[in-house]
Amino acid sequence: MTTLIPILGDQLSRDLSALRHADQATTRLLMMEVAEETRYVRHHKTKIAYIFAAMRHHAEALRSAGWHVDYVTLDDPENSGSFTGEIARAIDRHRPDRIVVTEAGEWRVAAMLDAWETLFGIPVEIRTDDRFIASHAEFGQWIEDRKQLRMEFFYREMRQKTGLLMDGGKPEGGQWNFDADNRKPARGDLLMPRPLSFAPDAITQEVLALVAARFGDHPGSLDGFDYAVTADDALRQQGYFLRHALPQFGDYQDAMLTGERFLWHSILSPYINSGLLDPLVLCHAAEAEYRAGRAPLNSTEGFIRQIIGWREYMRGIYWSQGPDYVNRNFLDARRDLPAFYWTGETDMHCLKEAIGQTLATAHAHHIQRLMVTGNYALLIGADPKQVHRWYLEVYLDAYEWVELPNTLGMSQFGDGGLLGSKPYAASGAYINRMSDYCQHCRYDVKQRVGPDACPFNALYWDFMARNEDKLARNPRLSMPYRNWARMDDATQGALRGQAAAHLASLDDAPGYG
């Protein structure tokens, strides 16, 4: 009996559930580079190159392990351009008796998998993706009868389930969360660790040439591509981070510095999300650094929380809320995302830095995404669906299941507080406190009105004022609304006029790219 096992581009794991107990002699693995997946949004060139290069290297690793791999390249003249079309061609080639596949990570692809059995008339077994700690059923049970879905409480259950950083039944160090210790601004440091650089081999160079030729209209650059594209190299970066960056990751995880793209961040999320690294193995390795006295608790806990807390929680929110989650727009935000999100050409230095490095490397860390690019989009009232699309396009680690809740829910408050207890809106003071960006900006972060005033300042108050009917009852916003109420009419008018002038300048420029 012949079994066909499709392996998708984010399933590059040797221990994938679909492969377990399969007979290599009677199994055919199918890997597909399809145009439909590259163009449903305009993915960053580096993102496409990374996924294809990692897929091709994974195929070689599977062949070396004894598997029969049927690999369809993008430039194959017979390539149908879609997963379903390639399944049909593979069925013609291999005449399988059944299909076994690990469940898809996104609603869009899951709908394709669900249709295959009826469409092709052969049994299709869709197996659970057990690379995650919480199953869909477990998360569904957790959210039952909860009026508020707060990650912190879910995270505590994941700590107890995994045993990570636990002291018997209690959290290591006597508390669950050390985030209060992880908000220090950073200074430039010649000894700051730099992620490992992996020179493209012949396989990757072929992919880079393909992407350059086929996706010239997509955002971003391929210059200096040096990401890991094999499991072995991803493990090398994992080890490097744990030894050299984890010890100070906690203190400076929210910091931003001009010209510093990585600081003490791990640069491991692309490898986790595509399957090259096992997230739970990584967390146990981080815990071992703490147990050995080589990393402090605040760093280790903060890093582990991002993986077994936020990452798992985002997946749970995505699948529990359904495909219509993407259409939520609690604040009725309708503005087009400014065109400089695709060029980086703006006088606001913080945005220029965050967007510039994003276009160059397909990477920015979580505070740049949340409190610079996301904060600005929130303040101007950008359409959250457009914001979601941009984040999905430009980041190497962005898959819809993890990106959509982070963007629409946490960053843009599009779900009205299902995910986060308040909007992450902030004036220029936050950016000034956590970075050196304002020192290099043509605007003055201390001014609220006038030609040299930081746009974030007036936009913040304008955001609060125009959304007062929806946000004023939020207990976490009581203080800013009291401060707004204390301002006299002239001050309020000046701030709203300043914001209106900035928003009008956006209306005069090209919008959504």
Side-chain angles (χ1 to χ4, degrees), residues 447-499:
Q447 292 188 34
R448 298 193 297 183
V449 297
D452 296 326
C454 171
F456 279 84
N457 295 335
L459 288 171
Y460 171 78
W461 290 112
D462 183 68
F463 169 83
M464 299 298 292
R466 72 174 185 266
N467 292 296
E468 188 169 5
D469 61 329
K470 294 183 176 181
L471 299 178
R473 293 184 181 86
N474 187 313
R476 295 195 64 190
L477 297 177
S478 58
M479 182 175 292
Y481 275 115
R482 284 198 299 269
N483 291 339
W484 176 249
R486 291 192 193 103
M487 298 180 194
D488 57 40
D489 291 345
T491 301
Q492 288 186 355
L495 285 167
R496 299 213 67 182
Q498 179 84 10

Side-chain angles (χ1 to χ4, degrees), residues 34-48 51-52 106 108-109 112 211 214-215 217-219 326 342 384-396 398-400 403-404 512-513:
V34 295
E36 185 176 70
E37 296 305 301
T38 64
R39 293 196 180 275
Y40 71 92
V41 298
R42 290 192 310 139
H43 294 291
H44 195 298
K45 297 182 188 75
T46 290
K47 183 179 182 181
I48 299 171
I51 293 172
F52 283 179
E106 301 179 0
R108 178 182 57 83
V109 182
M112 299 180 200
V211 173
R214 294 282 294 268
F215 301 99
D217 60 331
H218 284 226
V326 70
W342 287 265
K385 200 169 184 178
Q386 289 188 20
V387 181
H388 148 63
R389 184 183 177 97
W390 183 78
Y391 279 84
L392 184 60
E393 286 180 352
V394 300
Y395 288 115
L396 193 64
Y399 298 84
E400 190 181 70
E403 174 276 324
L404 175 60
Y512 180 58

Side-chain angles (χ1 to χ4, degrees), residues 67-81:
W67 295 97
H68 299 274
V69 182
D70 183 356
Y71 195 101
V72 182
T73 60
L74 189 71
D75 52 1
D76 182 334
E78 302 299 320
N79 191 325
S80 67

Side-chain angles (χ1 to χ4, degrees), residues 2 8 12 54 56 112 122 169 208 218 274 286 290 347 448 468 483 495 500:
T2 301
L8 308 182
L12 310 183
R56 293 187 185 191
M112 299 180 200
I122 60 175
L208 292 172
H218 284 226
S274 63
Y290 164 71
D347 288 339
R448 298 193 297 183
E468 188 169 5
N483 291 339
L495 285 167

Side-chain angles (χ1 to χ4, degrees), residues 267-285:
I267 325 300
L268 296 177
S269 56
Y271 311 141
I272 299 171
N273 290 350
S274 63
L276 295 183
L277 292 181
D278 184 306
L280 191 55
V281 170
L282 170 58
C283 287
H284 281 296

